[in-house]
Amino acid sequence: MLKLLVIILAFISHEHEAIAQYGPPYSSVVIPVTKHTDVAKPVYSVEIMTSFVNMQFKTENFLIDIDAPFIWHDCIVYWDMYPGKCPDDKFCHYPISCEDQTCTWVRTDYSYRNPLCSPETNRSNLPGYGVDCTCPLNVVNPVTGTCGGPALLSENIFNVHKSNGRNVFNWTYISYPIGACAPSSSYASFPANVTGVMAFSTSLYALPEHFYQPLKKSLSLCLPSTSSSRGVMFFGTGPYYLLPHSNVDLMSYLSYTPLLKQPDSFGYFIHVKSIVIKTRYIKIPSNTITKLSTIDSYTTLRTDIYNGVVQRFSKVTRRFKPAEPVAPFGYCFSTSNNNDRRHVGFKVPDIDFVLIGRKKWTVSTSNSIKQVTKDVACLAFVDGGETSEPAIVIGTFMFEDNFVVFDIENSTFGFSSSLLHKHTSCSNFNFTLTHLP
């Protein structure tokens, strides 16, 4: 019996080694990220392959929204999509009927509704094959907060490149999420060449829900600080590498804090216990919730928290001459006589966001100071008002050149603080295509 047990254990061990040896050579998918500054406020997009035409992929740029309930973009719906039916300059998708259970599910499940939106009604404009009505949905423009549409629920096909965290492979991973085709008026305020919203929230109709094994449900984001170079987004497991440190896994830089759920929201939330500036704690009520946003440009604080931060920050930067505030900021200073520049912004104290478990998200000067003119810089926090909820919203300026991970499976949020102090940046991923081993 002992010999038999040894043989069985050896066989199992051999099988595990074989699976590991012949497992997929990719651990994630990778998507390039672009910063756009040609609109009222900076926003970020991902470039995703949406159709295969004339032996090559057509791509579309989508705004990154980690709060959106579903995907919507510039496309049209056709039931009889035989070759040549779809115009060359359009993306075409099969519609989902109002009689389909999916239509009911999406309408029921997506939670935030703009009071300016009209009630959704079915339209009978796609007869044939049992489809006698479309499934209209209201969409909310994340840039303006206004109601758009109606958009028509449809089937989608998206392609993204596979990766091992270091290389981008020439093979693609295909996902089939439900989305909606929206009229051009819905994205009229978007940056040039951005024609849709990609939902990366916890919704059942967001893109992360449509990535399957071997990909882990974990979204990693590295926003670029300039519009001239690309950042990077991963979905899956690490490791992840940025040049020039080709052997340093970005995951080794991370600290973690729990992700919190909030009713009627598909977004991501954390708990900030206090804000510390040069050993002084700014008091934050214990029930304060912090939202993470890829749409808000700057970190917004409720007035009581904002006043505490500004009061403390102004004391530790008294050597700077105050300047007239530049909207949307409330505290600015002159830099015309400042000789105190460093490789990573001005020499001002770091701002620590203290999280659960005494973990600290350190906000260095590159993420806390915004140079608004040649001679004026501002503290990159915004007064949200006395009754703003959530009380803290962390915006994209604080994310730039930080590596962050939304681990959906384990409900944790990982953060690196500024990569500039590690002598790299979010623009240093190698997007050169290589062959899949």
Side-chain angles (χ1 to χ4, degrees), residues 15-157:
E15 286 294 300
H16 284 177
E17 289 177 3
I19 292 172
Q21 181 179 355
Y22 296 105
Y26 66 95
S27 56
S28 61
V29 295
V30 62
I31 310 171
V33 175
T34 300
K35 179 177 181 178
H36 301 270
T37 56
D38 58 339
V39 284
K41 62 180 182 180
V43 290
Y44 304 79
S45 72
V46 286
E47 182 182 85
I48 293 180
M49 296 170 283
T50 53
S51 60
F52 193 70
V53 179
N54 296 328
M55 301 302 294
Q56 63 180 3
F57 280 107
K58 293 171 65 176
T59 62
E60 189 174 359
N61 295 315
F62 299 80
L63 283 187
I64 300 171
D65 192 342
I66 59 174
D67 192 51
F70 56 84
I71 302 159
W72 57 271
H73 62 120
D74 177 26
C75 56
I76 54 180
V77 293
Y78 276 115
W79 180 256
D80 52 344
M81 283 204 308
Y82 54 82
K85 179 74 172 179
C86 183
D88 290 339
D89 60 342
K90 287 291 184 180
F91 299 100
C92 297
H93 301 293
Y94 287 108
I96 292 177
S97 167
C98 67
E99 298 176 348
D100 194 303
Q101 188 66 43
T102 304
C103 179
T104 303
W105 288 338
V106 176
R107 284 178 172 177
T108 303
D109 290 348
Y110 84 86
S111 60
Y112 72 70
R113 297 175 182 271
N114 192 310
L116 299 177
C117 295
S118 301
E120 297 150 335
T121 56
N122 299 328
R123 290 193 287 174
S124 301
N125 61 353
L126 284 175
Y129 294 92
V131 178
D132 58 3
C133 58
T134 57
C135 181
L137 295 171
N138 291 318
V139 296
V140 177
N141 184 320
V143 176
T144 62
T146 57
C147 186
L152 301 180
L153 197 65
S154 63
E155 300 175 1
N156 287 257
I157 301 176

Side-chain angles (χ1 to χ4, degrees), residues 295-322:
I295 298 299
D296 294 274
S297 301
Y298 302 102
T299 295
T300 302
L301 307 174
R302 195 175 60 206
T303 298
D304 58 321
I305 303 171
Y306 176 83
N307 288 341
V309 169
V310 169
Q311 183 180 19
R312 177 59 180 163
F313 191 82
S314 62
K315 284 185 178 180
V316 299
T317 56
R318 283 176 293 185
R319 66 185 180 279
F320 296 127
K321 180 181 177 181

Side-chain angles (χ1 to χ4, degrees), residues 349-355 359-365 367 398 402 415-418 421:
D350 291 338
I351 300 175
D352 290 330
F353 280 57
V354 181
L355 312 176
K359 300 296 178 62
K360 292 191 302 183
W361 186 352
T362 298
V363 185
S364 60
T365 51
N367 299 107
M398 192 163 147
N402 283 238
F415 54 95
S416 69
S417 296
S418 180
H421 295 294

